[in-house]
Amino acid sequence: MANRITLNMITQRSIEEGVAMEKGKTTPEYFEACSIIEMHDDDVKALGLVPNQLVRVTSECGSVVVKAVKGRQSLYPGLAFIPQGVWANQVVPPRTQATGEPQYSGFPATVEPVNGERRKSALELVQGAVGLWRGDQ
Amino acid sequence: MKTVTLTLTNPSELLLEGQNITPDNFAGKKAAEIAALDVWEGKQKSPLGKYFTVEGDGGATAAETKIVLRGDCTRVKRIGQQMTAGEIVIDGNADMYIGGWMKGGKIHVKGNVDSFCGIGMEGGELIVDGNAGSHLGSSPRGEWRGMKGGLIRVAGDVGNDTATFINGGTIVIGGDADIHVSTHGEGGIVVVKGNAKGRVGGQMVKGDIYVYGTIENPLPGFSMVGEVEQEVDGETARFAHYIGDLGERHPTSKGKTVYANIYTRI
Amino acid sequence: MPKKVENVGCPYCGVCCDDLVVTVSDDGKKILEVENACAIGNQIFHHATGGERIRLPRLRQPDGSYKDISYDEAVDYAAKVLHNAKKPLIYGFGSTNCEGMAAAAKVAEKAGAVLDNCASICHGSSFLAIFDNGYPSCTLGETKNRADVIVYWGANPAHAHPRHMSRYSIFPRGFFTGKGHKSRKIIVIDPRHTDTAQVADIYLQVKQGYDYDLFNAFRTAARGHEIPKEVAGIKREQILEVVEIMKKARFGTIFYGMGLCHSDGRNHNVDIAISLTRDLNDFTKWTIMAMRGHYNITGPGAVWSWQYGYPYCLDLTKKDIAYMNPGETSSVDLAMRDEVDAFFNVGTDAGAHFPIEAVKHLKKHPWITVDPNICMASEISDLHIPVGIVGVEVPGIVYRMDNVPIQYRKVIDPPEGVISDEELFERIHKRLCELEAEEAAKGQVKAVPEGIRAESEP
Amino acid sequence: MSELLIRNGFVFDPLQGIKGDRMDIGVKDGKIVETSALASPKTIDAAGMTVMAGGVDIHSHVVGPKVNVGRLFRPEDKLFKSPLKRCSRMEMGFSVPSTFKTGYDYARMGYVFVNEAAMPPLHSPHVHEEIRDTPIIDNAAMPVFGNNWFTLEYLKNNEIENNAAYTAWLLRATRGFGIKVVNPGGSEAWGWGLNCVNIHDPVPYFDITPAEIVKGLIETNEHLGLPHSVHLHANNLGNPGNYVDTLESLKLAEGYAPKNDFGREQVLHLTHLQFHSYGGDSWGNFESRSKDVMDYVNTHDNITVDMGQVTLDETTTMTADGPFEHHLCSLNHLKWANVDVELETAAGVVPYIYSPKIKVCTIQWAVGLEIALYAKDPMRTFVTTDHPNAGPFTRYPQVIAWLMSRAARDATMKTFKWLDKTIDATSIDSIDRELGLYEIAQMTRAGPAKALGVTNTYGGLAPGMDADIAVYALNPEDMPSDPAAIEKAFARCALLVKDGIVTVQNGEVVAEPAKRTVWVDVKVPENAQVQRDIYEHFLRHYSVKLDNYSLFEEHLHNPRVIEVDATE
C-alpha cells in the first residue's frame, strides 16, 4: 500500500458541475459536485482509501484537498479525474504550449490520503489565493 | 561596420515591443535619432531612449550596422524583427519574436529566448546560446508558407512546435525538443541533437529531420526503410532512415513518391 | 393567468435548443416552469428569478467589503481603469449576445485593450487548427438528416451538451435517416468510459494525450499503409475496423471536444482530425464540428472576425491595427507573463475557470467583473457590475456551435434598473470618449480612478 | 434642408443617355433635383472632372457566413497587409476585408450599392448583422434557391405557383432581394460528396436536373415579377471545356421574356462568366472560349452577364458551390472550409493564388477582359471580380484601367511567365478595343442598376433618384496617357455624395451616412399547401424552430423595401 501515487490528471465538465454552477458557485451543490476526485479502483486500492475519504492532490503548481469518490464513468489505472471548476483549477498548470490553453488535461499529480484536513469552500480557495478571504461570514 | 549599443537602464513595467530595434531602422541614424524611435509598452508609445541608453551611430546601411543590447532584455520582444542585414548581439536573454520574419543578417542571443523566435524566417542566421520557447522557426498563425530559408541554431532545449510548416532553411537544436517537430513540413532540415518527445514529422509532406537521441513516441505514420550514412552539421554518422508521414499526401517527382524523412542516429 | 413564452432559446450550451417553453407568472416577474430544457438549462431560468439578484454595481472598499454604487459611478470607474491602463484585458463573452460583443469591441478599440473570449481556454485550439487546415463542417441539421456514422472524440455530450445527441446526432429521425438511432453507427473515443460511451456501438479507450498518434494511425491505415499492432492503447484490428466504417459511411460527422483541446498538442489534435476529415472526403462525405461550450461562445468569434478578421486574442493596443497570436495575446499567457495591467471579466467566471496561478497574476491589477450573478470573479473584483441575463431578460442573436445564428427572445424583464451588456458598454464607450477629450484639452494629465482597491496582494 | 450643387463636371449618365456633357447636378434632402429647385446650395466645383452616379456592384461576396469564414481562417490575410486606421474603425484584411474596410473601400471608389451574391437563408440573421456593421454602402442580399429542398420538390412537380409562394415567403423571412442559384443541384449532390457537372445530371434523390431547376426558377421569377432576374452561377464552374455547359445554361433562357415593373430586360443573369468560358479538355490545353460565349450573349437580349475578372492576386475563393471548393483544395492542397447548410445549400472556402507565373491564371485573366471587350452592349456586361473569388473588389480601378487602355493590358502581360502560350490560348492580344468613360459608367452603375431593377433610385443622376454621386479626377477631354492615373482616379474618388451627404473627399472618408438594407417584399395569394410544407419541414427536418427562423424585425437595419404585388 503506497501512501502517495502519481496519476495523470484530467479535468472536464460533469453534468452535476453544470447544474450546480448555474445554481451558484457558492452553493453546497457546487461544493459537492466539484470538490471530488475519481480514480480507478486499482489506484484507490493502492492508496488504501475507504469510500469518500479525503485526499490531497498536488501538482507542479499547487495543491488541493478533495474527496475520493467512485464515479459512474470509469477510468483506466493511472488516470484520475476532477470535474472542472474551482478545485481542479488549484492544481491545473497554467502552461499553455503557446496556444492560450492551460494544461487542463494530462498533467501529473500526486494523490495521498489526508487526515485532519478539510475541503475548503470555493470562496475560501479563490479569495484566499488573492488575499481577500476573511473567514466564514 | 558601426556599432550601436543599447543598454536597458529603465526597464518597462509591462513587456516592451521593440520591432524598431533592427539594423534596417538604425542605419543612417545618429544615436539621438535612434533614441527617438518608437517602442511600445502596451498602448503607450514611447521613444526608445526612455528605456535604453543609446551609444553610437548607425552605419550607412543595415549591412554596416551592428546593434549590441546590454542589460536584462528578458522582457523585450521583437528585436530584429524583419531585419534584412547587419548584426545584432543580445548579451543576455530576450523575449518573443527575436528574428521573426528575418530576411538576412545575423542575430546572436547569449541567453535564452521565449516563443515565436525566427517565425516566418526567410534568410539570415539566428544563434541562441541558451534555450528557446515554443514555435521556434515556425510559421505565423494560418500561414502555410513557413520558414523559407536561413539558419537557426539553439544550443539548449526548445519547446513544442518547432518548425511547423517549414519549407526551407535549417534549424539545429543542441538539446532536446518538446512535442511537434516540423508538423506540416514541406521542406527544410531540422536537427535535434538531444531527444525528441514525440509527434515528430506529423502531417509532414517533405523535408528532413535528424534526431541524434531517441524519439520517445514515434508516430505510426513513419516506416523504417533502411540505414544510411549521412553528413549532418559537419559530422558523419549512421542513421536509421524512416519515411512518412504515410498518413499525409505526398507529391510525386519523376514518377516516384516523395516522402519526408526522419533519421535517427544509430 | 400565467403566460407561456414559446420557442425560447436556452442560454446554456452550444446546442442552443430553441424549443423551450417558459411559463411566466401573472405579474411577469417570476419564472414558474420551463419545458423541454435539460437539467442545466432549467436551472438557469429558475435561478434568474429564484433568489436575490444583484441590482446595483458594487465597489470594493478598503476593508474588503463591497459598497453599492450607481451605474454612472461604475461606468466612470470602468472607463478610467481602461483609459489609464497601459494594456487592459477584456475577456469573457461566453454568456452575452452579439450586440454586447460588438459594443465591447468598440470599447476595446477605443481603449487600446486586448480583447479575448472564453475560446481562449476552450476551443481556441480549434481556431488555431482552422487557421492551419480549414474546417470541413456542416450545420447540425445536415447531420440529423444525413449522417449514418457519428464519432464523438474527446467529447462527452451526455454531460456537457445534454440534448446534443437527441436533437442532432444519434437519436433524431431526419429526412434520409428515417430510422433514427437504428440507422446510425456511433463511435466514441475517449480515455474515460463516459456516459456518452454507454450509447456507442464502438468505444475506443484511447490513452490520454495520444489522440494525435491515433489520428495518425487512422490516416495511415485509410491510405492503405501498415500500422503498428497497437497505437495509443488501441489494437490494430479495431483501428482498421473503424477506418472501414468511416470509409463506407454515406455521411459522417466527427464531433470533438475538450479532450483534444485541453491535452498535449492542443491545436494539432484538432488539426489532424481535420486532416482525417479531408482524407475521408476522397471516399465519401465527412464533416467535423467543435462541440462549442457556451450557448454564444461562437458569437464573439463571428462578430470579431467580421469586425477585425480575428476570432479571439485580439491585441488592439496599437489602436490603428489589430494583431493576434494566441500564446502571446491569449488571456492566460498574458496573465502569466504579467503583460496586462487591468482585467475586465465579462459574462464568464475567470475566477473559477482560470488556473489559480493566472488568477493571482491578474489580481495584481484592477479587476472588474460584468456578470448578472455572483461568481468567483465577482467575489474577488474591485468592481462588480450586474447586467441582465441574455436569453432570459435580454434578447439578441447568438451563434450555435455550427455557426448558425439563432434569434433569442426575452422572457421577462430584468430586475428594475439593471441594464444590458450592450448598454453598459455603449455608456463606457461614451465616457472613454469624454476622458480622451478631457485629456486632449488638459494635456497629458492622467485621471486616477476613484474608489479604493483593497490591499490584496497575495 | 441640405442642398448641394455639383458644378461644371463632365456628366456620364447612361440611364439618361448623357455622354460627358458639362452639367450641374443639384441635390436636395438626399435626392437629385433640378438645379432650379435649389435655394442656397453649397457649391462644389467639379470642373475638369468626371461625374457619375454612385457605383452599383451586382455581384460581390461581402457579408455573411462564408465571407466570415474567409476572414476568420486567414489571419495571414491581415498580417502586414492591413492599412493603419484612418476612419472611425480599424480596417483589416486584404482579400477578405473586415466589414468596416469593405464599406470604406467601396465608398472611396465611389460605390454606393453592393449586392451580396449569396445568402444561405438559415444564416440570414448573420448576414443582416454584418450588413449593420458595413458602413456607408447600401446592401441587398440574394438568398440561394438552386439546391433548396422546397424548390427542388416544387419544380420537380412543375408547381410554379407553389414555388413562387415559397420564394415570396423566403424573401420575406430572410429580407432577401432576389433569386440566386449556385451550381443548381450540384450543391445538394455535395451533401453526399457528389456533384452535377452538367445541366442534365440528375440531382440524387430529388430526381430533377439542373436545367429543370433553372427553367423553373426563371418561370418563378417572371411569375412574381421581381426587380432582378434569376442570378445564376452555372454548373461546372472553373473546369476546362466548360463553355459548352455555359452555352447550354444560357440557352435555358430562350423563349422567356421579362415581366416586371422595374425596367429590367433580362430573364437570366449569368454571373462571373470568366469562370465559365473555358475550352480544352485538360489544364494542358486549357484555352479561352470567351468569343463563343459572348457571341451568344451579344445576340440574345434577355441575358446579362458580369465578368468575374481575375486580378492576379493572392485571394480567397468562396462559393456556395461546395463541390467546386473541394475540387480546388485537392488541386492546391491549401486549407479548406466547408459548410453544408441543411435543406438549403452548401459553401466552401479555399485560399488561392492567381500568379502571373502560372499559365492557367494568365489565361483566366485574359478570358475576363475578353468578355468585357467583346461585349456589344455594355448595358448587359458588368465589371466584377466576383469578389473575392477572382480578386478583391479593391482592384476594380485596375480592371477599369485594363478595359480603358491597351497599354495597361500590355504592361501587365509583360509580367507573364507564359506570355506566348497565353497569347496562343486566348485572343486578348488581338483586341485593340479601349472602352470609354460612358461605357465604364454603363458597366459599373447604369447597367447593373438596370439589371437589378433599381433604376428608380440607383445608377443614374435623374431628378428624384437618390443623390449618390461620384466625382473622379479625370478630364475626358484630356485623359491621362498613363493608365496608372486612370486607376488612381477610380481608386480614390475626388468626391462621393451618398444620400446627399458629402461622404468621401479627395479619396478620404469624411462622413459615414446611415446605410440601408434593400429587400424585396412580394405579395402572393394565400397558399395553404406551401404553408403546410413549410410547417412540416421545420417540424421534422430543420434544426431550428420556424418561429425563430424568419428574421426578427429588430435585426433588420434601416430597411428600404421594394414592394411587388404578385396577387394578380
PDB file of all heavy atoms in Angstrom, chain D residues 139-158:
ATOM      1  N   ASN D 139     -26.839  47.775 -48.953  1.00  0.00           N
ATOM      2  CA  ASN D 139     -26.667  46.366 -49.285  1.00  0.00           C
ATOM      3  C   ASN D 139     -27.996  45.691 -49.574  1.00  0.00           C
ATOM      4  O   ASN D 139     -29.002  45.989 -48.939  1.00  0.00           O
ATOM      5  CB  ASN D 139     -26.020  45.593 -48.120  1.00  0.00           C
ATOM      6  CG  ASN D 139     -24.550  45.889 -47.958  1.00  0.00           C
ATOM      7  OD1 ASN D 139     -24.127  46.495 -46.975  1.00  0.00           O
ATOM      8  ND2 ASN D 139     -23.758  45.488 -48.932  1.00  0.00           N
ATOM      9  N   ALA D 140     -27.944  44.771 -50.523  1.00  0.00           N
ATOM     10  CA  ALA D 140     -29.015  43.797 -50.681  1.00  0.00           C
ATOM     11  C   ALA D 140     -28.339  42.438 -50.604  1.00  0.00           C
ATOM     12  O   ALA D 140     -27.128  42.341 -50.754  1.00  0.00           O
ATOM     13  CB  ALA D 140     -29.706  43.976 -52.023  1.00  0.00           C
ATOM     14  N   ALA D 141     -29.132  41.394 -50.360  1.00  0.00           N
ATOM     15  CA  ALA D 141     -28.545  40.050 -50.302  1.00  0.00           C
ATOM     16  C   ALA D 141     -29.511  39.067 -50.941  1.00  0.00           C
ATOM     17  O   ALA D 141     -30.711  39.102 -50.668  1.00  0.00           O
ATOM     18  CB  ALA D 141     -28.253  39.657 -48.856  1.00  0.00           C
ATOM     19  N   MET D 142     -28.975  38.205 -51.790  1.00  0.00           N
ATOM     20  CA  MET D 142     -29.822  37.250 -52.506  1.00  0.00           C
ATOM     21  C   MET D 142     -29.780  35.882 -51.841  1.00  0.00           C
ATOM     22  O   MET D 142     -28.720  35.243 -51.812  1.00  0.00           O
ATOM     23  CB  MET D 142     -29.335  37.088 -53.947  1.00  0.00           C
ATOM     24  CG  MET D 142     -29.511  38.333 -54.785  1.00  0.00           C
ATOM     25  SD  MET D 142     -28.962  38.053 -56.485  1.00  0.00           S
ATOM     26  CE  MET D 142     -27.210  37.861 -56.277  1.00  0.00           C
ATOM     27  N   PRO D 143     -30.917  35.403 -51.332  1.00  0.00           N
ATOM     28  CA  PRO D 143     -30.937  34.035 -50.816  1.00  0.00           C
ATOM     29  C   PRO D 143     -30.724  33.039 -51.952  1.00  0.00           C
ATOM     30  O   PRO D 143     -31.100  33.296 -53.096  1.00  0.00           O
ATOM     31  CB  PRO D 143     -32.323  33.886 -50.192  1.00  0.00           C
ATOM     32  CG  PRO D 143     -33.127  35.027 -50.680  1.00  0.00           C
ATOM     33  CD  PRO D 143     -32.194  36.086 -51.160  1.00  0.00           C
ATOM     34  N   VAL D 144     -30.114  31.914 -51.624  1.00  0.00           N
ATOM     35  CA  VAL D 144     -29.851  30.897 -52.650  1.00  0.00           C
ATOM     36  C   VAL D 144     -31.018  29.905 -52.708  1.00  0.00           C
ATOM     37  O   VAL D 144     -31.544  29.495 -51.684  1.00  0.00           O
ATOM     38  CB  VAL D 144     -28.528  30.157 -52.374  1.00  0.00           C
ATOM     39  CG1 VAL D 144     -27.352  31.036 -52.715  1.00  0.00           C
ATOM     40  CG2 VAL D 144     -28.433  29.702 -50.933  1.00  0.00           C
ATOM     41  N   PHE D 145     -31.415  29.563 -53.936  1.00  0.00           N
ATOM     42  CA  PHE D 145     -32.576  28.696 -54.143  1.00  0.00           C
ATOM     43  C   PHE D 145     -32.252  27.410 -54.910  1.00  0.00           C
ATOM     44  O   PHE D 145     -33.039  26.479 -54.901  1.00  0.00           O
ATOM     45  CB  PHE D 145     -33.659  29.449 -54.934  1.00  0.00           C
ATOM     46  CG  PHE D 145     -34.396  30.476 -54.134  1.00  0.00           C
ATOM     47  CD1 PHE D 145     -33.939  31.788 -54.054  1.00  0.00           C
ATOM     48  CD2 PHE D 145     -35.552  30.136 -53.450  1.00  0.00           C
ATOM     49  CE1 PHE D 145     -34.631  32.734 -53.315  1.00  0.00           C
ATOM     50  CE2 PHE D 145     -36.248  31.088 -52.715  1.00  0.00           C
ATOM     51  CZ  PHE D 145     -35.785  32.385 -52.646  1.00  0.00           C
ATOM     52  N   GLY D 146     -31.121  27.385 -55.594  1.00  0.00           N
ATOM     53  CA  GLY D 146     -30.891  26.330 -56.579  1.00  0.00           C
ATOM     54  C   GLY D 146     -30.738  24.928 -56.022  1.00  0.00           C
ATOM     55  O   GLY D 146     -30.730  23.957 -56.778  1.00  0.00           O
ATOM     56  N   ASN D 147     -30.576  24.805 -54.696  1.00  0.00           N
ATOM     57  CA  ASN D 147     -30.433  23.493 -54.088  1.00  0.00           C
ATOM     58  C   ASN D 147     -31.365  23.332 -52.899  1.00  0.00           C
ATOM     59  O   ASN D 147     -31.207  22.426 -52.090  1.00  0.00           O
ATOM     60  CB  ASN D 147     -28.983  23.276 -53.653  1.00  0.00           C
ATOM     61  CG  ASN D 147     -28.040  23.274 -54.846  1.00  0.00           C
ATOM     62  OD1 ASN D 147     -27.940  22.293 -55.553  1.00  0.00           O
ATOM     63  ND2 ASN D 147     -27.394  24.417 -55.100  1.00  0.00           N
ATOM     64  N   ASN D 148     -32.297  24.247 -52.817  1.00  0.00           N
ATOM     65  CA  ASN D 148     -33.247  24.272 -51.710  1.00  0.00           C
ATOM     66  C   ASN D 148     -34.280  23.150 -51.888  1.00  0.00           C
ATOM     67  O   ASN D 148     -34.859  22.997 -52.959  1.00  0.00           O
ATOM     68  CB  ASN D 148     -33.914  25.652 -51.735  1.00  0.00           C
ATOM     69  CG  ASN D 148     -34.843  25.858 -50.585  1.00  0.00           C
ATOM     70  OD1 ASN D 148     -35.769  25.076 -50.390  1.00  0.00           O
ATOM     71  ND2 ASN D 148     -34.597  26.896 -49.830  1.00  0.00           N
ATOM     72  N   TRP D 149     -34.507  22.377 -50.832  1.00  0.00           N
ATOM     73  CA  TRP D 149     -35.384  21.205 -50.958  1.00  0.00           C
ATOM     74  C   TRP D 149     -36.808  21.571 -51.374  1.00  0.00           C
ATOM     75  O   TRP D 149     -37.459  20.838 -52.127  1.00  0.00           O
ATOM     76  CB  TRP D 149     -35.425  20.414 -49.640  1.00  0.00           C
ATOM     77  CG  TRP D 149     -34.145  19.700 -49.335  1.00  0.00           C
ATOM     78  CD1 TRP D 149     -32.983  19.732 -50.055  1.00  0.00           C
ATOM     79  CD2 TRP D 149     -33.900  18.829 -48.225  1.00  0.00           C
ATOM     80  NE1 TRP D 149     -32.034  18.951 -49.454  1.00  0.00           N
ATOM     81  CE2 TRP D 149     -32.561  18.389 -48.330  1.00  0.00           C
ATOM     82  CE3 TRP D 149     -34.667  18.393 -47.138  1.00  0.00           C
ATOM     83  CZ2 TRP D 149     -31.986  17.519 -47.392  1.00  0.00           C
ATOM     84  CZ3 TRP D 149     -34.104  17.533 -46.211  1.00  0.00           C
ATOM     85  CH2 TRP D 149     -32.771  17.098 -46.343  1.00  0.00           C
ATOM     86  N   PHE D 150     -37.305  22.683 -50.850  1.00  0.00           N
ATOM     87  CA  PHE D 150     -38.655  23.123 -51.257  1.00  0.00           C
ATOM     88  C   PHE D 150     -38.675  23.354 -52.762  1.00  0.00           C
ATOM     89  O   PHE D 150     -39.541  22.861 -53.479  1.00  0.00           O
ATOM     90  CB  PHE D 150     -39.029  24.441 -50.568  1.00  0.00           C
ATOM     91  CG  PHE D 150     -39.226  24.348 -49.087  1.00  0.00           C
ATOM     92  CD1 PHE D 150     -38.166  24.555 -48.210  1.00  0.00           C
ATOM     93  CD2 PHE D 150     -40.480  24.075 -48.565  1.00  0.00           C
ATOM     94  CE1 PHE D 150     -38.352  24.494 -46.849  1.00  0.00           C
ATOM     95  CE2 PHE D 150     -40.682  24.019 -47.191  1.00  0.00           C
ATOM     96  CZ  PHE D 150     -39.615  24.217 -46.324  1.00  0.00           C
ATOM     97  N   THR D 151     -37.691  24.134 -53.221  1.00  0.00           N
ATOM     98  CA  THR D 151     -37.618  24.472 -54.638  1.00  0.00           C
ATOM     99  C   THR D 151     -37.499  23.213 -55.494  1.00  0.00           C
ATOM    100  O   THR D 151     -38.190  23.067 -56.500  1.00  0.00           O
ATOM    101  CB  THR D 151     -36.398  25.394 -54.872  1.00  0.00           C
ATOM    102  OG1 THR D 151     -36.551  26.548 -54.045  1.00  0.00           O
ATOM    103  CG2 THR D 151     -36.284  25.817 -56.317  1.00  0.00           C
ATOM    104  N   LEU D 152     -36.612  22.310 -55.075  1.00  0.00           N
ATOM    105  CA  LEU D 152     -36.410  21.093 -55.856  1.00  0.00           C
ATOM    106  C   LEU D 152     -37.708  20.288 -55.944  1.00  0.00           C
ATOM    107  O   LEU D 152     -38.077  19.794 -57.014  1.00  0.00           O
ATOM    108  CB  LEU D 152     -35.299  20.235 -55.235  1.00  0.00           C
ATOM    109  CG  LEU D 152     -33.902  20.865 -55.137  1.00  0.00           C
ATOM    110  CD1 LEU D 152     -32.893  19.860 -54.586  1.00  0.00           C
ATOM    111  CD2 LEU D 152     -33.417  21.391 -56.475  1.00  0.00           C
ATOM    112  N   GLU D 153     -38.416  20.193 -54.819  1.00  0.00           N
ATOM    113  CA  GLU D 153     -39.665  19.419 -54.816  1.00  0.00           C
ATOM    114  C   GLU D 153     -40.727  20.085 -55.691  1.00  0.00           C
ATOM    115  O   GLU D 153     -41.384  19.427 -56.501  1.00  0.00           O
ATOM    116  CB  GLU D 153     -40.205  19.279 -53.382  1.00  0.00           C
ATOM    117  CG  GLU D 153     -39.370  18.381 -52.480  1.00  0.00           C
ATOM    118  CD  GLU D 153     -39.627  16.886 -52.713  1.00  0.00           C
ATOM    119  OE1 GLU D 153     -40.479  16.556 -53.554  1.00  0.00           O
ATOM    120  OE2 GLU D 153     -38.960  16.063 -52.064  1.00  0.00           O
ATOM    121  N   TYR D 154     -40.901  21.379 -55.530  1.00  0.00           N
ATOM    122  CA  TYR D 154     -41.940  22.068 -56.311  1.00  0.00           C
ATOM    123  C   TYR D 154     -41.636  22.023 -57.797  1.00  0.00           C
ATOM    124  O   TYR D 154     -42.507  21.782 -58.626  1.00  0.00           O
ATOM    125  CB  TYR D 154     -42.091  23.528 -55.863  1.00  0.00           C
ATOM    126  CG  TYR D 154     -42.661  23.686 -54.473  1.00  0.00           C
ATOM    127  CD1 TYR D 154     -42.112  24.582 -53.566  1.00  0.00           C
ATOM    128  CD2 TYR D 154     -43.773  22.938 -54.060  1.00  0.00           C
ATOM    129  CE1 TYR D 154     -42.627  24.734 -52.303  1.00  0.00           C
ATOM    130  CE2 TYR D 154     -44.299  23.077 -52.780  1.00  0.00           C
ATOM    131  CZ  TYR D 154     -43.712  23.978 -51.900  1.00  0.00           C
ATOM    132  OH  TYR D 154     -44.225  24.119 -50.643  1.00  0.00           O
ATOM    133  N   LEU D 155     -40.376  22.263 -58.132  1.00  0.00           N
ATOM    134  CA  LEU D 155     -40.046  22.326 -59.557  1.00  0.00           C
ATOM    135  C   LEU D 155     -40.059  20.946 -60.194  1.00  0.00           C
ATOM    136  O   LEU D 155     -40.378  20.800 -61.374  1.00  0.00           O
ATOM    137  CB  LEU D 155     -38.692  23.018 -59.755  1.00  0.00           C
ATOM    138  CG  LEU D 155     -38.669  24.496 -59.341  1.00  0.00           C
ATOM    139  CD1 LEU D 155     -37.318  25.115 -59.659  1.00  0.00           C
ATOM    140  CD2 LEU D 155     -39.796  25.283 -60.014  1.00  0.00           C
ATOM    141  N   LYS D 156     -39.720  19.932 -59.419  1.00  0.00           N
ATOM    142  CA  LYS D 156     -39.797  18.569 -59.940  1.00  0.00           C
ATOM    143  C   LYS D 156     -41.226  18.290 -60.414  1.00  0.00           C
ATOM    144  O   LYS D 156     -41.448  17.663 -61.450  1.00  0.00           O
ATOM    145  CB  LYS D 156     -39.400  17.571 -58.855  1.00  0.00           C
ATOM    146  CG  LYS D 156     -39.545  16.128 -59.279  1.00  0.00           C
ATOM    147  CD  LYS D 156     -38.868  15.194 -58.305  1.00  0.00           C
ATOM    148  CE  LYS D 156     -39.778  14.846 -57.133  1.00  0.00           C
ATOM    149  NZ  LYS D 156     -39.114  13.933 -56.204  1.00  0.00           N
ATOM    150  N   ASN D 157     -42.187  18.784 -59.632  1.00  0.00           N
ATOM    151  CA  ASN D 157     -43.590  18.558 -59.978  1.00  0.00           C
ATOM    152  C   ASN D 157     -44.163  19.686 -60.825  1.00  0.00           C
ATOM    153  O   ASN D 157     -45.379  19.777 -60.997  1.00  0.00           O
ATOM    154  CB  ASN D 157     -44.410  18.400 -58.699  1.00  0.00           C
ATOM    155  CG  ASN D 157     -43.898  17.244 -57.854  1.00  0.00           C
ATOM    156  OD1 ASN D 157     -43.470  16.242 -58.388  1.00  0.00           O
ATOM    157  ND2 ASN D 157     -43.913  17.422 -56.545  1.00  0.00           N
ATOM    158  N   ASN D 158     -43.265  20.575 -61.258  1.00  0.00           N
ATOM    159  CA  ASN D 158     -43.681  21.695 -62.084  1.00  0.00           C
ATOM    160  C   ASN D 158     -44.744  22.570 -61.410  1.00  0.00           C
ATOM    161  O   ASN D 158     -45.677  23.039 -62.045  1.00  0.00           O
ATOM    162  CB  ASN D 158     -44.187  21.169 -63.439  1.00  0.00           C
ATOM    163  CG  ASN D 158     -43.969  22.197 -64.520  1.00  0.00           C
ATOM    164  OD1 ASN D 158     -43.144  23.111 -64.358  1.00  0.00           O
ATOM    165  ND2 ASN D 158     -44.702  22.093 -65.604  1.00  0.00           N
TER     166      ASN D 158
END
